[in-house]
C-alpha cells in the first residue's frame, strides 16, 4: 500500500510507527572503489518495501558502483531530494502521489537541462502501458524499464543512462519508436537550433503556461532576464507573442 508521507534513508530504516517522515538526503559515501565506476542515484517510489529491495539489490556501492544518495515517496519529496543531492541518475516510478513521475520531470526540467551536471531519469515502473511510457519519455526521461528487470540489468541500465544512452525494456522500445515516428517535427529543426540552451528552457516553461516570476524562480534568474530571453526567442523564431510560441512548441512536442 502506498505510503506517500515517507522518505527514508538508504538503509530502509523507518521512523516511528505512524509518524510522517520528511524527505531527506543521504550522506555521500566513498566514490573511488567499485572498479572505478561510480554513479550517484536517487530512488523515487511510493512503496517503502520496494525502495528497500532496490537499495539492497543495487546499493552495495563497493560491489556495484551504485551509491544511493537519497529516497523519496511522492512528488514534493522527490523534487526536494533531487535538488539537494543533484544525483547523476534518478530511478523514477511513474505513478506517485502528488502528480506522478511526469510532474517530477516537469519540475526538475532545469536540472535535466544543466549542461555541466545533468540529472538524468530512468523510469522504473510496474506499468508497461504505452501511455505511461510515452508520457515520461516526452517529459525528459532517458529510458523506461519495468520492475521485472534483474538487479544486474538494472545496474547496467543505470550506468548506461548516466553515460547518456537511452534504455528500454525490449517490448517498450516499440512504443517509443511508433510514437516519435508519427511526429511532424523534422529530425533536425533549424529553428530550434538557433536557440541557446537557456532560451530553450525558457521556451518550454512559457509553453507550459508558467508566468515570468515562476520561470525566474525555477531557473534562479531575474524576471528581467526571463523577459530578455523571451524577446530573443520570439525574434529568432519570428513569432509575435507567447500564444504563438506555445503553439510552435506544442507542434514540435517540446512541452
Amino acid at each position: 500500500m502506498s505510503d506517500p508521507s515517507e522518505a527514508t534513508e538508504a538503509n530502509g530504516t523507518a521512523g516511528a510507527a505512524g509518524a510522517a517522515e520528511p524527505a531527506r538526503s543521504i550522506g555521500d559515501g566513498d566514490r573511488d572503489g567499485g572498479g572505478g565506476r561510480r554513479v550517484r542515484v536517487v530512488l523515487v517510489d511510493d512503496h517503502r518495501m520496494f525502495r528497500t529491495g532496490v537499495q539492497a539489490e543495487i546499493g552495495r556501492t563497493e560491489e556495484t558502483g551504485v551509491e544511493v544518495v537519497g529516497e523519496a515517496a511522492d512528488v514534493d519529496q522527490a523534487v526536494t531530494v533531487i535538488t539537494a543531492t543533484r544525483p547523476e541518475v534518478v530511478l523514477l516510478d511513474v505513478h506517485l502521489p502528488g502528480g506522478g513521475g511526469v510532474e517530477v520531470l516537469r519540475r526538475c526540467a532545469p536540472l535535466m537541462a544543466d549542461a555541466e551536471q545533468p540529472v538524468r531519469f530512468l523510469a522504473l515502473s510496474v506499468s508497461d502501458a504505452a501511455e505511461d511510457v510515452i508520457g515520461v519519455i516526452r517529459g525528459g526521461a532517458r529510458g523506461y524499464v519495468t520492475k521485472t528487470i534483474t538487479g544486474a540489468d538494472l545496474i547496467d541500465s543505470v550506468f548506461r543512462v548516466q553515460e547518456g544512452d537511452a534504455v528500454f525494456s525490449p517490448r517498450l522500445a516499440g512504443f517509443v519508436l511508433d510514437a516519435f515516428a508519427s511526429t511532424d517535427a523534422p529530425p533536425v529543426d533549424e529553428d530550434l537550433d538557433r536557440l541557446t540552451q537557456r532560451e530553450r528552457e525558457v521556451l518550454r516553461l512559457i509553453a507550459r503556461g508558467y508566468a515570468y516570476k515562476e520561470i525566474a524562480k525555477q531557473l534562479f534568474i531575474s524576471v528581467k532576464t526571463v523577459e530578455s530571453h523571451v524577446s530573443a526567442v520570439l525574434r529568432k523564431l519570428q513569432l509575435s507573442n507567447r500564444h504563438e510560441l506555445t503553439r510552435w512548441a506544442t507542434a514540435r512536442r517540446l512541452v
Side-chain angles (χ1 to χ4, degrees):
M1 182 174 180
S2 298
D3 187 1
S5 64
E6 50 139 3
T8 63
E9 295 186 347
N11 61 13
T13 303
E21 300 177 53
R24 56 183 181 268
S25 11
I26 299 165
D28 295 347
D30 173 32
R31 300 177 194 168
D32 299 322
R37 290 204 312 173
R38 287 296 169 105
V39 57
R40 301 172 70 251
V41 173
V42 163
L43 306 178
V44 181
D45 192 287
D46 62 342
H47 291 83
R48 178 192 297 163
M49 290 183 63
F50 180 77
R51 295 198 313 272
T52 301
V54 172
Q55 162 69 18
E57 185 72 23
I58 74 172
R60 303 181 307 278
T61 308
E62 293 305 315
E63 299 175 34
T64 66
V66 176
E67 179 187 0
V68 177
V69 297
E71 299 184 12
D74 63 28
V75 169
D76 287 342
Q77 291 174 359
V79 174
T80 298
V81 171
I82 293 165
T83 302
T85 60
R86 297 298 291 266
E88 289 147 316
V89 177
V90 178
L91 287 176
L92 179 68
D93 194 9
V94 174
H95 300 292
L96 294 167
V102 171
E103 178 64 12
V104 175
L105 292 165
R106 184 186 71 79
R107 291 169 60 178
C108 290
L111 301 181
M112 289 189 283
D114 189 321
E116 295 183 0
Q117 190 183 353
V119 176
R120 296 188 169 107
F121 287 78
L122 173 62
L124 175 62
S125 176
V126 69
S127 171
D128 60 1
E131 58 269 25
D132 288 334
V133 178
I134 300 308
V136 296
I137 297 305
R138 284 184 174 152
R142 295 291 304 175
Y144 194 117
V145 295
T146 61
K147 291 180 178 180
T148 57
I149 193 171
T150 66
D153 285 344
L154 182 57
I155 292 167
D156 180 65
S157 297
V158 166
F159 277 107
R160 287 174 60 193
V161 167
Q162 178 198 27
E163 293 164 2
D165 290 345
V167 180
F168 299 92
S169 293
R171 69 179 298 269
L172 305 184
F175 296 156
V176 179
L177 291 172
D178 290 344
F180 286 93
S182 65
T183 180
D184 294 328
V188 177
D189 192 320
E190 294 181 359
D191 290 333
L192 189 60
D193 286 347
R194 294 191 185 101
L195 305 182
T196 66
Q197 185 62 44
R198 180 64 88 187
E199 288 168 351
R200 294 186 193 195
E201 294 170 5
V202 172
L203 163 66
R204 288 187 176 94
L205 294 174
I206 284 287
R208 288 169 181 164
Y210 280 61
Y212 285 2
K213 288 184 179 180
E214 294 172 321
I215 296 173
K217 184 177 180 181
Q218 283 274 339
L219 301 181
F220 304 101
I221 57 179
S222 69
V223 173
K224 186 174 181 180
T225 301
V226 174
E227 292 173 348
S228 297
H229 285 313
V230 172
S231 296
V233 170
L234 292 174
R235 184 181 68 255
K236 290 179 180 181
L237 300 181
Q238 298 182 338
L239 301 173
S240 300
N241 52 57
R242 65 181 297 162
H243 300 295
E244 290 183 2
L245 187 152
T246 299
R247 288 196 297 271
W248 187 93
T250 301
R252 285 161 174 78
R253 301 180 187 272
L254 300 176
V255 180

